[in-house]
Amino acid sequence: MAGKQSDSRIQVIDRAAALMDAISRYSKPVKLKMLSADTGLHPSTAYRILNSLTDNRFVERDSNGDYRLGPRMLQLSNRLHTDIDLRAVALPHMEALRDKLGETVNLTIREGDVVIYFEKVTPNRMMHVNQIVGSRAPLHVTAVGKLMLGMGGEEEIRAYAQRTNLPAYTRNTLSSLDALTEACISSYQRGYSLDDEEAELGVGCIGVLIHDRTGKVTAGLSVSAPIERRKISWIEDIQAAGEAISHQLGYRPE
């Protein structure tokens, strides 16, 4: 009996792995029917396993009932990738950007509905913005987070707003769905985003996205500064640094 249970558990793990492998091959959320066909699993079997993976946050189901990799899987993936590549690749570019602009440069990764400050470099001056490595911030109050939401389109922004209720951190926080949607979509289209004292009064930020060799967004790069010192003219330098990091990670835009 024990042997049968062991075999059964191994089979379930194999099937779960096959489903996650199938999901990872698609750039957009994928339907149950396609996952069933890709893995050779009966739809009811695939559905039961996907439900369990969803409960454990390895898989996420959107409002259309389609599946994509969930925050827990993305978190593990980001940790593996960043530990191997991202920090080592990004730091020299971050330091060069800090030296040129004289302000704090941050590297962030997404985990669910927040960004995590993964790395930072600070200028050698008394007054500078000091982000704490390991701290978290909601997507809608950060420049990079708004880009990540904009990348997902109106549906993802709406779902995020429903999950979080868009809490206000300052009087400038975008706490209405319409305002947030417009800001996220326009920011993503132009390739950079601003935080205008939305997370903290007196602090402004400019952010861009970093892509890995598969084309997926793996992190965000941002510069934080006292709002009176932040300059729009920095955008080209920040974009150039983000593009250099992405290129070194193997990203080749079509």
Side-chain angles (χ1 to χ4, degrees):
M1 186 68 176
K4 290 183 179 179
Q5 288 179 344
S6 176
D7 290 345
S8 175
R9 288 179 179 178
I10 291 172
Q11 184 182 56
V12 168
I13 292 172
D14 288 343
R15 289 175 170 179
L19 284 165
M20 288 188 288
D21 282 343
I23 293 172
S24 71
R25 290 195 289 269
Y26 292 88
S27 60
K28 296 182 179 180
V30 58
K31 295 186 180 300
L32 173 64
K33 182 178 180 180
M34 297 178 69
L35 292 174
S36 175
D38 286 353
T39 58
L41 295 173
H42 190 277
S44 62
T45 301
Y47 180 77
R48 287 196 301 271
I49 296 173
L50 287 167
N51 270 353
S52 180
L53 290 171
T54 301
D55 289 342
N56 286 281
R57 299 172 58 242
F58 286 109
V59 168
E60 196 170 64
R61 193 178 186 195
D62 67 15
S63 58
N64 293 322
D66 300 339
Y67 295 91
R68 60 188 171 193
L69 292 180
R72 193 170 182 183
M73 178 58 69
L74 296 175
Q75 177 187 357
L76 294 172
S77 175
N78 275 331
R79 284 179 178 173
L80 174 62
H81 184 68
T82 49
D83 286 347
I84 296 173
D85 295 320
L86 184 55
R87 180 182 277 116
V89 169
L91 266 175
H93 298 283
M94 294 172 65
E95 290 168 347
L97 191 60
R98 173 204 59 194
D99 295 344
K100 185 170 186 178
L101 304 183
E103 302 293 350
T104 300
V105 181
N106 311 294
L107 188 68
T108 52
I109 60 174
R110 179 175 180 175
E111 181 181 326
D113 289 336
V114 302
V115 293
I116 300 174
Y117 288 87
F118 184 71
E119 185 59 274
K120 70 171 182 179
V121 293
T122 56
N124 185 22
R125 64 195 306 175
M126 290 295 294
M127 296 296 293
H128 64 264
V129 176
N130 187 25
Q131 305 289 8
I132 300 173
V133 172
S135 64
R136 301 169 178 231
L139 296 175
H140 70 288
V141 304
T142 68
V144 167
K146 286 186 287 186
L147 287 170
M148 291 175 173
L149 285 171
M151 177 182 61
E154 293 185 13
E155 182 181 331
E156 180 168 341
I157 299 168
R158 186 180 303 108
Y160 171 83
Q162 291 173 345
R163 289 194 304 271
T164 64
N165 293 318
L166 304 180
Y169 283 70
T170 75
R171 60 177 178 266
N172 292 343
T173 300
L174 301 177
S175 293
S176 77
L177 176 59
D178 289 344
L180 181 65
T181 299
E182 181 180 355
C184 292
I185 297 296
S186 61
S187 295
Y188 182 69
Q189 289 174 344
R190 71 190 180 198
Y192 70 89
S193 182
L194 304 177
D195 161 16
D196 293 320
E197 300 182 88
E198 294 156 49
E200 181 181 354
L201 288 177
V203 176
C205 186
I206 303 173
V208 300
L209 296 177
I210 294 172
H211 298 79
D212 65 14
R213 61 184 178 275
T214 69
K216 293 181 180 179
V217 170
T218 190
L221 180 74
S222 62
V223 173
S224 300
I227 193 67
E228 68 273 9
R229 287 209 306 257
R230 191 194 65 181
K231 298 177 181 178
I232 299 301
S233 59
W234 295 348
I235 291 171
E236 289 187 7
D237 291 322
I238 299 169
Q239 287 179 316
E243 290 168 2
I245 296 170
S246 296
H247 185 85
Q248 203 167 336
L249 289 173
Y251 176 58
R252 300 294 184 271
E254 293 180 0

